[in-house]
Amino acid sequence: MTVAGAGEPAVPTEAVVDVASEKAELDREYYKSRHSGRATGDNPEYVRWLIDESMLAAAKESATQFIGQGSMWQNPYAEPNPRAAIAKAANWLTLYPISMITKPGCSFLGTLGDRDLWEALHRVGITAVHTGPVKRAGGITGWEATPSVDGHFDRISNQFDDQFGTEDEFRRMCRIAATYGGAVIDDIVPGHTGKGPDFRLAEMKVGDYPGVYHMVEVPKADWRLLPDVPPTKDSVNLDQDTEHRLAEAGYIIGRMQRVIFNEPGIKDTNWSATAPVLGPDGEEHRWVYLHYFKEGQPSLNWLDPTFAGMRLVIGDALHSLTDLGSTALRLDANGFLGVEKSVDGPAWSEGHPLSEAANQLIGSMVRKVGGFTFQELNLAIDDIKSTSERGADLSYDFVNRPAYHHALATGDTEFLRLTMNEARAIGVDPASLVHALQNHDEVTYELVHFASLHSADTFTFRGCAVSGGQLASLIRRELIDALTGQAGPYNAIFTTNGISSTTATVIAASLGIRDITALTPDQTEAITRAHLLLAMYNAWQPGVFALSGWDLVGALTLDSAQVADLIGDGDTRWIHRSAYDLMDYRPEATESTSKMPRATALYGPLSNQMTDPTSFARRLSDILAVRSRYGIATATQLDVPAVSNPAILVMVHALDEAQQVTALNFSSAPVTSTATSNQLKPGSTVSDMLTDEELPDVDRSRCLRLVLQPHQGRSFLVSPP
């Protein structure tokens, strides 16, 4: 079987290799070239090497540079400031390093320092680039590196992965971005690492390294409670019975509120036991350690008396912001920083106050040195509200993204209006949110707000009273039915979290397109129009607007056979992490340098799109120009009013001296509708911000008359009489 992208020769499926294999070989050579000898705890050279390579040692070095410096007291830091963050970077492009086709002879970071690329991004209206994970990830076994187990979100070093570039290239990229008024956003992971030098030192019981992790040593007398570890592995996941026995024996706190990435026989619990490890003390040690995610992602301990985990994270943040030159940091898995034993039931592991306290420390430190943070975590609206008061400056909008996908799939905005008004009622300012199209993860439909914290609360939906739990189940079922299976065979369910898809394939399924292998020009235009509608939803409201490289080129999903090795464990997200070429750097390329296959790109590279006024990117630039010209990003949302047609969504925002109204048609049919809001003043004049067309004034009943074509969005300037 062969699969080809638009205008490219076919790629034999058998030619596609594991995305991590080339990186692993590079890393193996790097580490093997450094030292030799026994890779055990009784070899002082090996232990010293691990310490030199560790993130904790690097953090100590970074922190000492700021002792007694007056610069540490020049910025306000106590409270999050989303509008200050937006002022630095309002429109983001989020990238995934292994998926980007780079310039010939250039690394990922070297390519991001290309002035032609930044010129094109500047013309579109992009003011920041989020690089995604670019530093060493995976693990260490002996002297050798092992590949990442989670798409490079298992960091083991502050050093850059050779596959993606160098520190010098990162710094140059930051300088080039600044010349275009742009910013660079980096990543830190305050919740876990990979099994790198820090974890190996912790297993050996070296210094305060065990304090980095939530791990408990089990004495030899009780090793009978632990499972055997096969010779080919360094740890094994606990089954539920073993988890219970160790909890009863007082070693661990036992069962958690949920098991993320639960897979019977692979991950039954959030705990794993290590094999015996020889330490410098001449003793063998065995541990049980916590990992909210995969077995190769041991969780950090934020309340160990050594505060080693905290020091590691803060040092990493300081290095990125002050040494490398980044402006902001993404916080990954930052809601899982506190865990506590419960008297009855599962351990308290989500919504814990320690997570809030730790996030406040991270956010405050970053603001202290002039940067800002955002959290990409699926939370209940209440938790977003509480974290926005003390923690990260911005939160990813996981509440409304599944809701606007539901609106597109059903042609009905009722659930979207419900989620938006629920957030407003709880007090979440839309300006504190990152409103994004696609990112590296699945289309998340967990609907945590309704499925957990408010599962027993009553909501009114489609004229009926339903519980939050019932509402979440209904919306999930309708999304699955509309976007997967017969309706969208090119999309796939990802465990219990959501749907693996690109924005373009969400739209294709919503439009009733079952075959995406031979789209007609009319179908492509329909997808483009709906894609721009979703961009308008995210851009024409307060907050950050974000889209991905996949969005910019209109990428479709890969055939599962192209990434069979990667999805073998059930991680279907790889079908939407295809390779893309933003600037036609290598039109003949069939894959990225990381061996990700290239998918069909409906819109093509930016270099071509920017010469075509009808292209997605050029039309997007008009949308973002309106957003910038009228200051919509930092406006204040006043109302999400009721509408006379369920396909319509209307948002009313306060500008400095006028109002802005966003009106969107989520259906495939033209609509004539009205929207009534107490925030609108009778007699106000109305004009289209894109075309300057004059429209009927707001009438005496505070009503705005709307005429919208299929999947059309309009932004209105409403000036008081």
Side-chain angles (χ1 to χ4, degrees), residues 38 128 169 203 252 304 308 393 484 505 516 538 593 606 613 694:
R38 299 184 311 278
E169 288 176 322
E203 287 182 311
I252 61 176
D304 183 83
D393 297 278
T484 65
T505 60
I516 59 172
N538 287 308
T593 54
L606 277 180
E694 297 294 329

Side-chain angles (χ1 to χ4, degrees), residues 424-444:
R424 291 182 64 248
I426 290 173
V428 173
D429 183 354
S432 69
L433 300 176
V434 177
H435 309 288
L437 290 168
Q438 186 181 346
N439 69 344
H440 65 279
D441 273 331
E442 74 286 353
V443 173
T444 304

Side-chain angles (χ1 to χ4, degrees), residues 584-606:
D584 212 22
Y585 290 126
R586 289 191 284 132
E588 77 290 346
T590 57
E591 61 187 17
S592 69
T593 54
S594 298
K595 307 301 181 183
M596 282 304 297
R598 183 173 186 162
T600 298
L602 295 183
Y603 313 146
L606 277 180

Side-chain angles (χ1 to χ4, degrees), residues 179-258:
T179 64
Y180 288 92
V184 173
I185 303 171
D186 196 8
D187 288 273
I188 63 169
V189 187
H192 58 259
T193 69
K195 287 185 174 179
D198 297 270
F199 186 73
R200 297 310 179 197
L201 289 163
E203 287 182 311
M204 296 176 184
K205 204 174 182 178
V206 174
D208 52 8
Y209 283 89
V212 172
Y213 299 99
H214 193 113
M215 59 195 303
V216 178
E217 185 173 14
V218 178
K220 278 189 178 180
D222 278 341
W223 283 9
R224 57 186 172 76
L225 299 174
L226 301 176
D228 293 331
V229 179
T232 57
K233 299 188 66 177
D234 61 7
S235 63
V236 65
N237 190 244
L238 303 186
D239 60 30
Q240 293 178 357
D241 289 340
T242 305
E243 176 188 59
H244 178 72
R245 286 197 301 271
L246 286 166
E248 289 292 302
Y251 287 111
I252 61 176
I253 58 177
R255 183 167 61 97
M256 302 291 182
Q257 288 168 266
R258 60 174 169 154

